[in-house]
């Protein structure tokens, strides 16, 4: 049973435009959410996180939005750059240190 | 600062063989994790540990064993390798202060395992 879902396996965006990556979850007890970026042949690297007490967190070009009622979070990248091309994973935990990851979305930023 | 180090990087096993995937971290992190990533799939949690001597099952623990005798090391053992265990395995660690958004999971670069 997939508790964290990323329904878009891939996304292509023009350089300079906004990239929006989406993530849905089923467990209402999740209270901490993270986004990771992964390049080929490397481990995932942390991008940005958000606690369930917030609905938005911003870090430079990256903003994460959380809609608890819809059990949905999204990652916005503005402006998108070719170096942002990677696989993006969302992850969630429920008051423990057990992190559950989604299936990932491959982002391709076209120059 | 090496972070999370995984060895080996690649390995090919025959069905029924056993092996240990090594993971070491030098950040004095209490929490350590093993994930596997199958093609087109996300990261699935195999086992995790909240400190030396304490381990717990994740989403897909069958066919694996772990131990945590020291804070630094968290080896993953495959006793009877099966083709279904062909995957990329990632080890990760996590420090103190969950409330700090600057203490996320730190991942190693993975071990690519093929069982034939």
């Amino acid at each position: 049973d997939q508790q964290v879902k990323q329904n878009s396996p891939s996304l292509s965006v023009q350089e300079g435009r906004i990239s929006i990556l989406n993530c849905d979850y089923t467990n209402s007890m999740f209270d901490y959410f993270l986004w990771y970026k992964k390049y080929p042949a490397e481990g995932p690297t942390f991008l940005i996180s958000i606690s369930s007490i917030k609905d938005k967190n911003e870090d430079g070009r990256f903003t994460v939005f959380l809609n608890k009622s819809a059990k949905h979070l999204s990652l916005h990248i503005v402006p998108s750059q070719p170096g942002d091309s990677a696989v993006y994973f969302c992850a969630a935990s429920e008051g423990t240190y057990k992190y559950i990851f989604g299936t990932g979305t491959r982002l391709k930023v076209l120059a | 600062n090496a972070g999370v180090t995984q060895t080996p990087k690649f390995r090919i096993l025959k069905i029924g063989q056993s092996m240990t995937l090594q993971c070491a971290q030098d950040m004095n992190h209490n929490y350590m994790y093993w994930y596997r990533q199958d093609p087109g799939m996300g990261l699935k949690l195999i086992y995790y540990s909240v400190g030396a001597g304490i381990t717990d099952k994740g989403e897909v623990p069958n066919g694996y064993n772990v131990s945590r005798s020291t804070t630094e090391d968290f080896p993953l053992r495959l006793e009877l390798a099966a083709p279904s265990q062909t995957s990329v395995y990632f080890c990760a660690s996590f420090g103190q202060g969950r409330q700090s958004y600057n203490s996320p999971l730190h991942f190693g670069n993975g071990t690519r395992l093929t069982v034939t």
Side-chain angles (χ1 to χ4, degrees), chain A residues 1-84:
Chain A
D1 182 29
Q2 192 73 28
Q3 296 187 68
V4 179
K5 303 175 188 179
Q6 294 174 256
N7 292 320
S8 298
S10 63
L11 174 69
S12 292
V13 172
Q14 286 295 131
E15 181 179 6
R17 307 294 285 267
I18 184 171
S19 295
I20 300 176
L21 294 93
N22 294 303
C23 179
D24 297 296
Y25 60 95
T26 57
N27 187 344
S28 58
M29 299 302 291
F30 284 147
D31 62 352
Y32 188 52
F33 304 88
L34 309 92
W35 283 95
Y36 277 78
K37 179 168 73 173
K38 185 182 179 304
Y39 293 120
E42 294 182 9
T45 54
F46 173 72
L47 204 51
I48 193 168
S49 64
I50 189 167
S51 163
S52 60
I53 62 173
K54 292 190 169 187
D55 54 20
K56 177 183 173 181
N57 188 29
E58 202 169 345
D59 184 1
R61 296 186 298 114
F62 303 92
T63 302
V64 56
F65 295 92
L66 177 62
N67 182 334
K68 288 188 291 293
S69 60
K71 296 192 186 69
H72 177 84
L73 67 155
S74 60
L75 174 68
H76 292 210
I77 307 173
V78 183
S80 301
Q81 299 173 353
D84 295 329

Side-chain angles (χ1 to χ4, degrees), chain B residues 2-55:
Chain B
V4 178
T5 302
Q6 291 184 240
T7 55
K9 287 185 169 51
F10 304 95
R11 184 72 185 267
I12 298 175
L13 280 182
K14 293 192 184 306
I15 295 171
Q17 285 186 320
S18 62
M19 78 163 293
T20 299
L21 283 69
Q22 302 291 346
C23 175
Q25 52 92 8
D26 61 0
M27 297 172 283
N28 201 30
H29 284 171
N30 281 344
Y31 306 93
M32 295 188 75
Y33 306 79
W34 275 105
Y35 287 89
R36 59 178 284 175
Q37 185 191 12
D38 300 326
M41 304 294 286
L43 295 161
K44 292 289 189 183
L45 180 62
I46 305 171
Y47 271 96
Y48 66 108
S49 169
V50 301
I54 306 169
T55 62

